[in-house]
Amino acid sequence: MPNPLNFNAEISSKNQFIAEFSNGISLHLKREDLLHPEVSGNKFRKLKYNILEAEKQKKKTLLTFGGAYSNHIAATAAAGKISGLKTIGIIRGEELGENLEKTLAQNRTLNFAHSCGMHFRFVSRKDYRQKETLEFQQRLNEEFDEFYLVPEGGTNQLAIKGCEEILSEKDKEFDFISASVGTGGTLSGLINASAKNQKILGFPALKGNFLSEEIKKFSIKNNWELILKYHFGGYAKIDSQLINFINKFKEKYQIQLDPVYTGKLVFGIFDLIKTGYFPSGSKILAIHTGGLQGIPGMNSVLTKKNLPLINY
C-alpha cells in the first residue's frame, strides 16, 4: 500500500470477510480504519483534497469545528501536523476552556489534538449553532490570521471527491454497500462511485430523517436508502445491547468497532439479515470508517452511568 501520509498518492483498503449466513448472504468489511493510526477511515478521505487545496491556496492554517470527543477534530489536528499546517479547533462548550489543564487531563481527544499543536477556541453552545453564519465567520477572520476553513465533520465537495475513492473496481461485485452516516459526506461519495447494480444503505448515527436533504445536495444517483432505526436514541447514545454486541463482535472476529458509528452500522446489518431485509445470496460490503479514538471517552461516560464498558 502506498504511504497514506502522501495525500497525492492513491490508496486503497482491504476487504475482510466476516461471515456467510444460512441464506447465502455474505458480509465483508472494508477496513478503512487501517489507513492510518491517527488519520483513519473516512476522515483521511475527507481531509485529503481539502489539505491539497489549502496547500494550493498557500494557506498555512486549517480551521474547523467539533465537539469535545470529535473524531474530526482529532484527525484534523493529526493531519495538520503531518502536513506542516497549523490547526485551529472551534470547540463546542465554553466551560471546557475555563480550566484547560483539567480538560486535557480528562479528555483524551482534546489532549491528543493539543499534542498535535491544535489551538482551541471554546465557544458557547449558542454561539456554536451560529458557526455557519456570515457574522460568526467574520469574527473568526478578525480573530485569526488567514486560514483554510474545513466544515464541521469535514463534509464539502472536496470531501465527497475523497470519499468517492473508497470503492475500488473490485467492489462492483457487491450488491449492497453500507456505511454509517454522520454528516452525509461519506455516503454521498459512495453513492457517486457506486455501480448501477448496487444499492447504497446509510445508517444514521443521529435521530431523524433530516440528512436526506444533505445527501441529495452532494449525490448524483438515487440508488440509496437511509435505515433510520439503529441510532440507539441519537448521536453518541448507546445502551447495554449495543455494547454487548460490539464486545462479542470483537471477541469473535478480532475487529474493534466504535460505539457511535460503525458499531451501530454492523448491529443494524446483522439485524436486517436476521429479519429478512436482504434477498438470499446478497453480497454486502460494510465500510469501517474508523473513529476508534473516541472509545476511551465513551467508556468514561459509561462508567458514570454504571453501564458495561467497551473492550478496547
Side-chain angles (χ1 to χ4, degrees):
M1 181 186 298
N3 184 349
L5 301 184
N6 181 1
F7 289 106
N8 285 297
E10 291 185 12
I11 64 167
S12 60
S13 51
K14 294 182 179 180
N15 296 339
Q16 183 169 345
F17 174 74
I18 300 301
E20 184 168 350
F21 299 84
S22 58
N23 50 5
I25 295 173
S26 62
L27 174 62
H28 290 72
L29 196 62
K30 182 172 278 290
R31 299 298 305 275
E32 288 281 289
D33 58 309
L34 301 179
L35 291 181
H36 187 267
E38 296 172 346
V39 193
S40 70
N42 62 340
K43 300 309 177 189
F44 179 93
R45 302 292 187 179
K46 288 182 174 183
L47 287 167
K48 174 182 176 178
Y49 287 107
N50 276 288
I51 287 178
L52 292 176
E53 180 63 22
E55 293 174 343
K56 180 181 177 181
Q57 295 181 17
K58 301 189 184 305
K59 298 290 179 67
K60 297 181 179 180
T61 302
L62 303 176
L63 183 145
T64 195
F65 310 86
Y69 297 99
S70 167
N71 293 323
H72 172 66
I73 287 292
T76 302
K81 180 180 179 181
I82 292 165
S83 304
L85 298 170
K86 296 179 182 179
T87 54
I88 299 170
I90 309 301
I91 310 297
R92 182 178 62 248
E94 60 184 343
E95 72 280 358
L96 297 170
E98 294 174 357
N99 187 336
L100 182 57
E101 185 175 341
K102 180 180 179 181
T103 294
L104 296 179
Q106 296 178 344
N107 187 304
R108 288 183 60 173
T109 298
L110 294 181
N111 191 303
F112 171 75
H114 184 263
S115 73
C116 291
M118 176 172 275
H119 172 76
F120 299 128
R121 172 76 159 81
F122 297 95
V123 300
S124 68
R125 285 160 176 78
K126 179 181 178 181
D127 284 346
Y128 191 84
R129 287 192 290 270
Q130 305 300 314
K131 63 184 178 299
E132 295 180 2
T133 65
L134 181 61
E135 180 183 359
F136 188 92
Q137 294 191 10
Q138 283 178 338
R139 294 206 306 266
L140 292 178
N141 286 325
E142 292 171 0
E143 182 173 353
F144 301 107
D145 293 333
E146 191 174 355
F147 55 79
Y148 181 89
L149 190 147
V150 180
E152 180 182 32
T155 292
N156 57 15
Q157 199 62 56
L158 290 173
I160 307 305
K161 181 180 179 181
C163 289
E164 289 173 359
E165 297 177 353
I166 293 173
L167 296 180
S168 67
E169 187 69 21
K170 186 179 178 181
D171 295 330
K172 290 182 178 179
E173 66 179 298
F174 293 97
D175 304 299
F176 294 88
I177 308 292
S178 303
S180 53
V181 183
T183 56
T186 302
L187 199 75
S188 297
L190 294 171
I191 293 167
N192 293 347
S194 64
K196 291 181 180 180
N197 62 297
Q198 295 178 318
K199 186 168 184 179
I200 311 302
L201 302 179
F203 291 71
L206 294 83
K207 192 174 183 179
N209 194 31
F210 60 94
L211 284 167
S212 292
E213 294 306 312
E214 287 298 309
I215 294 167
K216 289 176 183 177
K217 291 179 184 178
F218 294 106
S219 58
I220 59 175
K221 301 175 184 178
N222 58 7
N223 60 336
W224 57 279
E225 177 185 355
L226 292 184
I227 308 296
L228 302 175
K229 62 180 180 178
Y230 298 106
H231 52 71
F232 284 83
Y235 181 72
K237 293 185 179 180
I238 62 174
D239 60 18
S240 297
Q241 183 184 26
L242 181 60
I243 297 168
N244 290 334
F245 175 83
I246 290 172
N247 287 340
K248 288 180 180 179
F249 188 89
K250 181 182 180 183
E251 181 180 353
K252 184 172 183 178
Y253 301 108
Q254 302 301 304
I255 299 174
Q256 181 73 65
L257 303 176
D258 85 285
V260 178
Y261 295 107
T262 310
K264 295 178 180 180
L265 163 71
V266 179
F267 179 96
I269 292 172
F270 270 68
D271 191 58
L272 290 179
I273 291 172
K274 183 173 63 176
T275 56
Y277 175 90
F278 297 102
S280 296
S282 295
K283 298 186 69 174
I284 307 166
L285 178 64
I287 313 299
H288 193 318
T289 50
L292 303 180
Q293 68 84 28
I295 293 177
M298 177 61 76
N299 276 342
S300 297
V301 174
L302 296 175
T303 298
K304 295 176 183 177
K305 294 183 176 181
N306 292 317
L307 288 170
L309 302 183
I310 299 163
N311 296 334
Y312 183 58

